[in-house]
Coordinates of all heavy atoms in Angstrom, one line a residue:
M1 N 130.1 101.2 82.0 CA 130.4 101.3 83.5 C 131.2 102.6 83.7 O 132.0 103.1 82.9 CB 131.3 100.1 83.8 CG 131.4 99.8 85.3 SD 129.8 99.2 85.8 CE 129.9 99.3 87.5
W2 N 130.9 103.1 84.9 CA 131.5 104.4 85.2 C 133.0 104.2 85.7 O 133.2 103.3 86.6 CB 130.7 105.1 86.3 CG 129.4 105.5 85.8 CD1 128.3 104.8 85.8 CD2 129.1 106.7 85.2 NE1 127.3 105.5 85.2 CE2 127.7 106.7 84.9 CE3 129.8 107.9 84.9 CZ2 127.1 107.8 84.2 CZ3 129.2 108.9 84.3 CH2 127.8 108.9 84.0
R3 N 133.9 104.9 85.2 CA 135.3 104.8 85.6 C 135.5 105.3 87.1 O 136.3 104.8 87.8 CB 136.2 105.6 84.7 CG 136.3 105.0 83.3 CD 137.2 105.9 82.5 NE 136.7 107.3 82.6 CZ 137.3 108.3 82.1 NH1 138.4 108.2 81.5 NH2 136.8 109.5 82.2
N4 N 134.8 106.3 87.4 CA 135.0 107.0 88.7 C 133.6 107.1 89.4 O 132.7 107.6 88.8 CB 135.6 108.3 88.4 CG 136.1 109.0 89.6 OD1 135.7 108.7 90.7 ND2 136.9 110.1 89.4
I5 N 133.6 106.8 90.6 CA 132.3 106.9 91.4 C 131.9 108.4 91.5 O 130.7 108.7 91.3 CB 132.5 106.3 92.8 CG1 132.7 104.8 92.7 CG2 131.3 106.7 93.7 CD1 133.0 104.2 94.1
E6 N 132.9 109.3 91.6 CA 132.5 110.7 91.7 C 131.8 111.2 90.5 O 130.9 112.0 90.5 CB 133.8 111.5 92.0 CG 134.3 111.3 93.4 CD 135.5 112.2 93.8 OE1 135.9 113.1 92.9 OE2 136.0 112.0 94.9
E7 N 132.3 110.8 89.3 CA 131.6 111.1 88.0 C 130.2 110.7 88.0 O 129.3 111.4 87.6 CB 132.4 110.5 86.8 CG 133.7 111.1 86.6 CD 134.5 110.4 85.4 OE1 133.8 109.6 84.8 OE2 135.6 110.7 85.2
R8 N 129.9 109.5 88.4 CA 128.6 108.9 88.5 C 127.7 109.7 89.4 O 126.6 110.0 89.1 CB 128.6 107.4 88.9 CG 127.2 106.8 88.8 CD 127.2 105.4 89.4 NE 127.5 105.4 90.8 CZ 128.2 104.5 91.4 NH1 128.8 103.6 90.8 NH2 128.4 104.6 92.8
V9 N 128.2 110.0 90.6 CA 127.5 110.8 91.6 C 127.1 112.1 91.1 O 125.9 112.6 91.2 CB 128.3 110.9 92.9 CG1 127.6 111.8 93.9 CG2 128.5 109.5 93.5
I10 N 128.0 112.8 90.5 CA 127.7 114.2 89.9 C 126.7 114.1 88.8 O 125.8 114.9 88.7 CB 129.0 114.8 89.4 CG1 130.0 115.0 90.5 CG2 128.7 116.1 88.7 CD1 129.6 116.1 91.5
A11 N 126.9 113.0 87.9 CA 126.0 112.9 86.8 C 124.5 112.6 87.3 O 123.6 113.2 86.8 CB 126.4 111.7 85.9
C12 N 124.4 111.8 88.3 CA 123.1 111.5 88.9 C 122.5 112.8 89.5 O 121.3 113.1 89.2 CB 123.2 110.5 90.0 SG 123.5 108.8 89.5
G13 N 123.3 113.5 90.2 CA 122.8 114.7 90.8 C 122.3 115.8 89.8 O 121.3 116.4 89.9
E14 N 123.1 116.0 88.8 CA 122.8 116.9 87.7 C 121.5 116.5 87.0 O 120.7 117.3 86.7 CB 124.0 117.1 86.8 CG 125.1 117.8 87.4 CD 126.4 117.9 86.5 OE1 126.4 117.1 85.5 OE2 127.3 118.7 86.8
Y15 N 121.4 115.2 86.7 CA 120.3 114.7 86.0 C 119.0 114.9 86.8 O 117.9 115.3 86.2 CB 120.5 113.2 85.6 CG 119.3 112.7 84.8 CD1 119.2 113.0 83.4 CD2 118.4 111.7 85.3 CE1 118.2 112.5 82.6 CE2 117.4 111.2 84.5 CZ 117.3 111.6 83.2 OH 116.2 111.2 82.4
I16 N 119.0 114.6 88.1 CA 117.9 114.7 88.9 C 117.5 116.2 89.0 O 116.3 116.5 88.9 CB 118.1 114.1 90.3 CG1 118.1 112.6 90.2 CG2 117.1 114.6 91.3 CD1 118.5 111.9 91.5
V17 N 118.4 117.1 89.1 CA 118.1 118.5 89.2 C 117.5 119.1 87.9 O 116.5 119.8 87.9 CB 119.3 119.4 89.6 CG1 119.1 120.8 89.5 CG2 119.7 119.0 91.1
E18 N 118.1 118.6 86.8 CA 117.7 119.1 85.5 C 116.2 118.6 85.1 O 115.5 119.4 84.6 CB 118.6 118.6 84.4 CG 119.9 119.3 84.4 CD 120.9 118.7 83.4 OE1 120.5 117.8 82.6 OE2 122.1 119.1 83.4
T19 N 116.0 117.4 85.4 CA 114.7 116.8 85.0 C 113.6 116.7 86.1 O 112.5 116.6 85.8 CB 114.9 115.3 84.5 OG1 115.4 114.5 85.5 CG2 115.9 115.3 83.3
G20 N 114.1 116.8 87.4 CA 113.1 116.6 88.5 C 112.6 115.2 88.6 O 111.6 114.9 89.2
C21 N 113.4 114.2 88.1 CA 113.0 112.8 88.0 C 113.1 112.2 89.4 O 113.7 112.7 90.3 CB 113.7 112.1 87.0 SG 115.5 111.9 87.4
T22 N 112.6 111.0 89.5 CA 112.7 110.1 90.7 C 114.0 109.4 90.6 O 114.7 109.3 89.6 CB 111.6 109.1 90.8 OG1 111.6 108.3 89.6 CG2 110.2 109.8 90.8
V23 N 114.4 108.8 91.8 CA 115.6 108.0 91.8 C 115.5 106.8 90.9 O 116.4 106.4 90.2 CB 115.8 107.5 93.3 CG1 116.9 106.4 93.4 CG2 116.1 108.7 94.2
R24 N 114.3 106.2 90.8 CA 114.1 105.1 89.9 C 114.4 105.4 88.4 O 115.0 104.7 87.7 CB 112.7 104.6 90.0 CG 112.3 103.3 89.3 CD 110.9 102.9 89.5 NE 110.7 102.7 90.9 CZ 110.4 101.5 91.5 NH1 110.4 100.4 90.7 NH2 110.2 101.4 92.8
V25 N 113.9 106.6 88.0 CA 114.1 107.0 86.6 C 115.6 107.3 86.4 O 116.1 107.0 85.3 CB 113.2 108.2 86.3 CG1 113.5 108.8 84.9 CG2 111.7 107.8 86.4
C26 N 116.2 108.0 87.4 CA 117.6 108.3 87.2 C 118.4 107.0 87.1 O 119.4 106.9 86.4 CB 118.1 109.1 88.4 SG 119.8 109.6 88.3
A27 N 118.1 106.0 87.9 CA 118.8 104.7 87.9 C 118.7 104.1 86.5 O 119.7 103.5 86.0 CB 118.2 103.8 88.9
E28 N 117.5 104.1 85.9 CA 117.4 103.6 84.5 C 118.3 104.4 83.5 O 118.9 103.8 82.7 CB 115.9 103.7 84.0 CG 115.1 102.5 84.4 CD 113.7 102.7 83.8 OE1 113.5 103.2 82.6 OE2 112.7 102.4 84.5
Y29 N 118.3 105.7 83.7 CA 119.0 106.6 82.8 C 120.5 106.3 82.9 O 121.3 106.2 81.9 CB 118.7 108.0 83.1 CG 119.5 109.0 82.3 CD1 119.2 109.2 80.9 CD2 120.6 109.7 82.8 CE1 120.0 110.2 80.2 CE2 121.3 110.6 82.1 CZ 121.0 110.8 80.8 OH 121.7 111.7 80.1
I30 N 121.0 106.2 84.2 CA 122.4 106.1 84.4 C 122.9 104.6 84.2 O 124.0 104.4 83.8 CB 122.7 106.5 85.9 CG1 122.5 107.9 86.1 CG2 124.2 106.1 86.3 CD1 123.4 108.9 85.4
G31 N 122.0 103.7 84.4 CA 122.4 102.3 84.2 C 122.9 101.6 85.5 O 123.7 100.7 85.4
S32 N 122.4 102.1 86.6 CA 122.8 101.6 87.9 C 121.5 101.1 88.6 O 120.4 101.4 88.2 CB 123.5 102.6 88.8 OG 124.7 103.0 88.2
S33 N 121.7 100.5 89.8 CA 120.5 100.1 90.5 C 120.0 101.3 91.3 O 120.6 102.3 91.5 CB 120.9 99.0 91.5 OG 121.7 99.6 92.6
K34 N 118.7 101.2 91.7 CA 118.0 102.2 92.4 C 118.7 102.4 93.8 O 118.9 103.6 94.2 CB 116.6 101.8 92.6 CG 115.7 102.8 93.2 CD 114.3 102.3 93.3 CE 114.1 101.2 94.3 NZ 112.8 100.9 94.7
S35 N 119.2 101.4 94.4 CA 119.9 101.5 95.7 C 121.2 102.3 95.5 O 121.5 103.1 96.4 CB 120.2 100.1 96.2 OG 119.0 99.4 96.4
T36 N 121.9 102.0 94.4 CA 123.2 102.7 94.2 C 122.9 104.2 94.0 O 123.6 105.1 94.6 CB 123.9 102.2 93.0 OG1 124.2 100.8 93.2 CG2 125.2 102.9 92.7
V37 N 121.9 104.6 93.2 CA 121.6 106.0 92.9 C 121.2 106.6 94.2 O 121.6 107.8 94.5 CB 120.6 106.1 91.8 CG1 120.1 107.5 91.7 CG2 121.1 105.6 90.5
H38 N 120.4 106.0 95.0 CA 119.9 106.6 96.2 C 121.1 106.9 97.2 O 121.2 107.9 97.7 CB 118.9 105.7 96.9 CG 118.2 106.3 98.1 ND1 118.7 106.2 99.4 CD2 117.1 107.1 98.2 CE1 117.9 106.8 100.2 NE2 117.0 107.4 99.5
K39 N 122.0 105.9 97.3 CA 123.2 106.1 98.1 C 124.0 107.2 97.6 O 124.5 108.1 98.3 CB 124.0 104.8 98.3 CG 125.1 105.0 99.2 CD 125.8 103.7 99.5 CE 126.9 103.8 100.5 NZ 126.5 103.5 101.9
D40 N 124.2 107.3 96.3 CA 125.0 108.3 95.6 C 124.4 109.7 96.0 O 125.2 110.6 96.4 CB 125.0 108.2 94.1 CG 125.9 107.0 93.6 OD1 126.6 106.5 94.5 OD2 125.8 106.7 92.4
V41 N 123.1 109.9 95.8 CA 122.6 111.3 95.9 C 122.2 111.6 97.3 O 122.1 112.8 97.6 CB 121.3 111.5 95.0 CG1 121.7 111.3 93.5 CG2 120.2 110.6 95.4
T42 N 122.1 110.7 98.3 CA 121.8 111.1 99.6 C 123.0 111.1 100.5 O 123.0 111.8 101.5 CB 120.8 110.1 100.2 OG1 121.3 108.8 100.2 CG2 119.4 110.2 99.5
E43 N 124.0 110.3 100.2 CA 125.2 110.3 101.1 C 126.5 110.8 100.4 O 127.1 111.7 100.9 CB 125.5 108.8 101.6 CG 124.4 108.3 102.4 CD 124.6 106.8 102.8 OE1 125.7 106.3 102.7 OE2 123.6 106.2 103.2
R44 N 126.8 110.2 99.3 CA 128.1 110.6 98.6 C 128.1 112.0 98.1 O 129.1 112.7 98.1 CB 128.4 109.6 97.5 CG 128.6 108.2 98.0 CD 129.0 107.3 96.9 NE 129.2 105.9 97.4 CZ 128.6 104.8 96.9 NH1 127.8 104.9 95.9 NH2 128.9 103.7 97.5
L45 N 127.0 112.5 97.5 CA 126.9 113.8 96.9 C 127.1 114.9 98.0 O 127.7 115.9 97.7 CB 125.6 114.0 96.2 CG 125.4 115.2 95.3 CD1 126.5 115.3 94.3 CD2 124.1 115.3 94.7
A46 N 126.7 114.7 99.2 CA 126.8 115.7 100.2 C 128.3 115.9 100.5 O 128.7 117.1 100.9 CB 126.1 115.2 101.5
V47 N 129.1 115.0 100.3 CA 130.6 115.1 100.6 C 131.3 115.7 99.3 O 132.1 116.6 99.4 CB 131.2 113.8 100.9 CG1 132.7 113.9 101.0 CG2 130.6 113.2 102.2
I48 N 130.8 115.2 98.1 CA 131.5 115.6 96.9 C 131.1 117.0 96.5 O 132.0 117.8 96.1 CB 131.2 114.6 95.8 CG1 131.8 113.2 96.2 CG2 131.7 115.1 94.4 CD1 131.3 112.1 95.3
D49 N 129.8 117.4 96.5 CA 129.4 118.7 96.0 C 128.2 119.1 96.8 O 127.0 118.9 96.5 CB 129.0 118.6 94.5 CG 128.7 119.9 93.9 OD1 128.5 120.9 94.6 OD2 128.7 120.0 92.7
P50 N 128.4 119.8 98.0 CA 127.3 120.1 98.9 C 126.3 121.1 98.2 O 125.1 121.0 98.6 CB 128.0 120.9 100.0 CG 129.4 120.4 100.0 CD 129.7 120.1 98.5
A51 N 126.7 121.9 97.3 CA 125.7 122.8 96.7 C 124.7 122.1 95.8 O 123.5 122.3 95.8 CB 126.5 123.9 95.9
L52 N 125.3 121.1 95.0 CA 124.4 120.3 94.2 C 123.5 119.4 95.1 O 122.4 119.2 94.8 CB 125.3 119.4 93.2 CG 124.5 118.5 92.3 CD1 123.6 119.3 91.4 CD2 125.5 117.7 91.4
W53 N 124.1 118.9 96.2 CA 123.3 118.1 97.1 C 122.1 118.8 97.6 O 121.0 118.2 97.7 CB 124.2 117.6 98.2 CG 123.5 116.8 99.2 CD1 123.0 115.5 99.1 CD2 123.1 117.2 100.5 NE1 122.4 115.1 100.2 CE2 122.5 116.1 101.2 CE3 123.3 118.3 101.3 CZ2 122.0 116.1 102.5 CZ3 122.8 118.4 102.6 CH2 122.2 117.3 103.1
E54 N 122.2 120.1 97.9 CA 121.1 120.9 98.4 C 120.0 120.9 97.4 O 118.8 120.8 97.7 CB 121.5 122.3 98.8 CG 122.3 122.3 100.1 CD 121.5 122.0 101.3 OE1 120.3 122.3 101.3 OE2 122.1 121.5 102.3
K55 N 120.4 121.1 96.1 CA 119.4 121.1 95.0 C 118.7 119.8 94.9 O 117.5 119.7 94.7 CB 120.0 121.6 93.7 CG 120.5 123.0 93.7 CD 121.3 123.3 92.5 CE 121.9 124.6 92.5 NZ 122.7 124.9 91.3
V56 N 119.5 118.7 94.9 CA 118.9 117.4 94.7 C 118.0 117.0 95.9 O 116.9 116.5 95.7 CB 120.1 116.3 94.6 CG1 119.5 114.9 94.7 CG2 120.8 116.5 93.3
K57 N 118.4 117.4 97.1 CA 117.6 117.2 98.3 C 116.2 117.8 98.1 O 115.2 117.2 98.5 CB 118.3 117.7 99.5 CG 117.7 117.3 100.8 CD 118.6 117.6 102.0 CE 118.4 119.1 102.4 NZ 119.0 119.4 103.7
G58 N 116.2 119.0 97.6 CA 114.9 119.7 97.3 C 114.0 118.9 96.4 O 112.8 118.7 96.6
V59 N 114.6 118.4 95.3 CA 113.8 117.6 94.3 C 113.3 116.3 95.0 O 112.2 115.9 94.8 CB 114.7 117.3 93.1 CG1 114.0 116.3 92.2 CG2 115.0 118.6 92.3
L60 N 114.2 115.6 95.7 CA 113.8 114.4 96.4 C 112.7 114.6 97.4 O 111.8 113.8 97.6 CB 115.0 113.7 97.0 CG 116.1 113.2 96.1 CD1 117.2 112.6 96.9 CD2 115.6 112.3 95.1
E61 N 112.7 115.7 98.1 CA 111.6 116.0 99.1 C 110.3 116.2 98.4 O 109.3 115.8 98.8 CB 112.0 117.3 99.9 CG 113.1 117.0 100.9 CD 113.6 118.3 101.6 OE1 113.0 119.4 101.3 OE2 114.4 118.1 102.5
V62 N 110.3 116.9 97.2 CA 109.1 117.1 96.4 C 108.6 115.7 96.0 O 107.4 115.4 96.1 CB 109.3 118.0 95.2 CG1 108.2 118.0 94.3 CG2 109.6 119.4 95.7
N63 N 109.5 114.9 95.4 CA 109.1 113.6 95.0 C 108.5 112.7 96.1 O 107.5 112.0 95.9 CB 110.3 112.8 94.4 CG 110.7 113.4 93.0 OD1 109.9 114.1 92.4 ND2 111.9 113.1 92.6
L64 N 109.1 112.9 97.3 CA 108.6 112.1 98.4 C 107.1 112.6 98.8 O 106.3 111.7 99.1 CB 109.5 112.3 99.6 CG 109.1 111.5 100.9 CD1 109.2 110.0 100.6 CD2 110.1 111.9 102.0
K65 N 106.9 113.9 98.8 CA 105.6 114.4 99.1 C 104.5 114.0 98.0 O 103.4 113.9 98.4 CB 105.6 115.9 99.2 CG 106.4 116.4 100.4 CD 106.5 117.9 100.5 CE 107.3 118.3 101.7 NZ 107.5 119.8 101.7
E66 N 105.0 113.8 96.8 CA 104.0 113.5 95.7 C 103.9 112.0 95.4 O 103.1 111.6 94.6 CB 104.5 114.2 94.4 CG 104.4 115.7 94.5 CD 105.0 116.3 93.2 OE1 105.6 115.6 92.4 OE2 104.8 117.6 93.1
R67 N 104.7 111.2 96.2 CA 104.7 109.8 95.9 C 103.3 109.1 96.0 O 103.0 108.3 95.1 CB 105.7 109.1 96.9 CG 105.8 107.6 96.7 CD 106.8 107.0 97.6 NE 106.6 107.3 99.0 CZ 107.4 107.0 100.0 NH1 108.6 106.4 99.7 NH2 107.1 107.3 101.2
H68 N 102.5 109.5 97.0 CA 101.2 108.8 97.1 C 100.3 109.2 95.9 O 99.5 108.5 95.5 CB 100.6 109.2 98.4 CG 100.3 110.6 98.6 ND1 101.2 111.6 98.8 CD2 99.1 111.2 98.6 CE1 100.6 112.7 99.0 NE2 99.3 112.5 98.8
L69 N 100.5 110.4 95.4 CA 99.7 110.9 94.3 C 100.0 110.2 93.0 O 99.2 109.8 92.2 CB 99.8 112.4 94.1 CG 99.4 113.3 95.3 CD1 99.8 114.7 95.0 CD2 97.9 113.1 95.5
R70 N 101.3 110.0 92.8 CA 101.8 109.3 91.6 C 101.3 107.8 91.6 O 100.9 107.3 90.6 CB 103.3 109.3 91.5 CG 103.8 110.7 91.3 CD 105.3 110.7 91.2 NE 105.8 112.1 91.1 CZ 107.0 112.4 91.1 NH1 108.0 111.5 91.2 NH2 107.3 113.7 91.0
G71 N 101.4 107.2 92.8 CA 100.9 105.8 92.9 C 99.5 105.7 92.6 O 99.0 104.8 91.9
G72 N 98.7 106.6 93.1 CA 97.2 106.6 92.9 C 96.9 106.8 91.4 O 96.0 106.2 90.9
D73 N 97.6 107.7 90.8 CA 97.4 108.0 89.4 C 97.8 106.8 88.5 O 97.1 106.5 87.6 CB 98.3 109.2 89.0 CG 97.9 109.7 87.6 OD1 96.7 109.8 87.3 OD2 98.9 109.9 86.8
A74 N 98.9 106.1 88.9 CA 99.3 104.9 88.1 C 98.2 103.8 88.2 O 97.9 103.1 87.2 CB 100.6 104.4 88.6
T75 N 97.7 103.6 89.4 CA 96.6 102.6 89.6 C 95.4 103.0 88.8 O 94.8 102.1 88.2 CB 96.3 102.5 91.1 OG1 97.5 102.2 91.8 CG2 95.2 101.5 91.3
K76 N 95.0 104.3 88.8 CA 93.9 104.7 88.1 C 94.1 104.4 86.6 O 93.2 103.9 85.9 CB 93.7 106.2 88.3 CG 92.5 106.8 87.5 CD 92.4 108.3 87.8 CE 91.3 108.9 86.9 NZ 91.2 110.4 87.2
R77 N 95.3 104.8 86.0 CA 95.5 104.5 84.6 C 95.5 103.0 84.3 O 95.0 102.6 83.3 CB 96.9 105.1 84.2 CG 96.9 106.6 84.1 CD 98.2 107.1 83.4 NE 99.4 106.5 83.9 CZ 100.1 107.0 84.8 NH1 99.9 108.2 85.3 NH2 101.2 106.4 85.3
K78 N 96.0 102.2 85.2 CA 96.0 100.8 85.0 C 94.6 100.2 84.9 O 94.3 99.5 83.9 CB 96.7 100.1 86.2 CG 96.7 98.6 86.2 CD 97.3 98.0 87.4 CE 97.1 96.5 87.5 NZ 97.7 96.0 88.7
Y79 N 93.7 100.6 85.7 CA 92.4 100.1 85.7 C 91.5 100.7 84.6 O 90.6 100.1 84.1 CB 91.7 100.2 87.1 CG 92.3 99.2 88.0 CD1 93.2 99.5 89.1 CD2 92.1 97.8 87.8 CE1 93.7 98.6 89.9 CE2 92.7 96.8 88.6 CZ 93.5 97.2 89.7 OH 94.1 96.3 90.5
L80 N 91.8 102.0 84.3 CA 91.1 102.6 83.1 C 91.5 101.9 81.8 O 90.6 101.6 81.0 CB 91.4 104.1 83.0 CG 90.6 104.9 84.1 CD1 91.1 106.4 83.9 CD2 89.1 104.8 83.9
G81 N 92.7 101.5 81.7 CA 93.2 100.8 80.5 C 92.7 99.4 80.4 O 92.3 98.9 79.4
A82 N 92.5 98.7 81.6 CA 92.0 97.4 81.6 C 90.5 97.4 81.3 O 90.0 96.5 80.6 CB 92.2 96.8 83.0
R83 N 89.8 98.5 81.6 CA 88.4 98.6 81.4 C 88.1 98.8 79.9 O 87.2 98.2 79.3 CB 87.8 99.7 82.2 CG 86.3 99.8 82.1 CD 85.7 100.9 83.0 NE 86.2 100.8 84.3 CZ 86.3 101.9 85.1 NH1 85.9 103.1 84.7 NH2 86.7 101.8 86.4
T84 N 88.9 99.5 79.2 CA 88.7 99.8 77.8 C 89.1 98.6 76.9 O 88.6 98.4 75.8 CB 89.5 101.0 77.3 OG1 90.9 100.8 77.6 CG2 89.0 102.3 78.0
E85 N 90.0 97.8 77.4 CA 90.5 96.6 76.7 C 89.4 95.5 76.8 O 89.3 94.6 75.9 CB 91.8 96.1 77.2 CG 92.9 97.1 76.9 CD 94.2 96.6 77.5 OE1 94.3 95.6 78.1 OE2 95.2 97.4 77.3
A86 N 88.7 95.4 77.8 CA 87.8 94.3 78.1 C 86.5 94.4 77.3 O 86.1 95.2 76.6 CB 87.4 94.2 79.6

């Protein structure tokens, strides 16, 4: 468990910028819920570290634009895997 909310917020922001990951992946890595990470990086980070927030915002915008592609790719992999197993 994180002793300090600010530490968790900074850790989330840095991890997202370093890896370009989604909020869901960051939540798994940090050990918090997706909702908590989203609130951390969209609201709290802007107050704690505005420079880092700008970088995270850029990554989140890219992830939002690519979301429909990732979902389609996941569905494709799911059904290709089911076809080879049958």
Side-chain angles (χ1 to χ4, degrees):
M1 197 70 196
W2 293 89
R3 294 178 306 174
N4 187 346
I5 292 175
E6 289 183 6
E7 290 176 7
R8 183 186 69 217
V9 172
I10 299 289
C12 287
E14 289 174 348
Y15 184 71
I16 288 174
V17 170
E18 288 171 9
T19 63
C21 69
T22 62
V23 170
R24 185 179 302 248
V25 172
C26 182
E28 269 184 42
Y29 176 77
I30 296 294
S32 296
S33 72
K34 188 175 69 168
S35 300
T36 300
V37 171
H38 188 268
K39 184 170 183 96
D40 284 351
V41 297
T42 58
E43 296 177 17
R44 294 181 180 131
L45 189 59
V47 174
I48 295 170
D49 189 345
L52 181 58
W53 177 72
E54 286 293 330
K55 294 176 186 175
V56 170
K57 190 169 80 166
V59 173
L60 294 179
E61 286 173 1
V62 169
N63 289 342
L64 183 63
K65 290 178 184 176
E66 294 176 351
R67 180 173 59 185
H68 67 285
L69 299 172
R70 291 179 186 175
D73 188 48
T75 302
K76 179 180 176 182
R77 284 194 315 263
K78 174 183 174 184
Y79 287 108
L80 284 176
R83 191 177 306 152
T84 57
E85 293 174 1

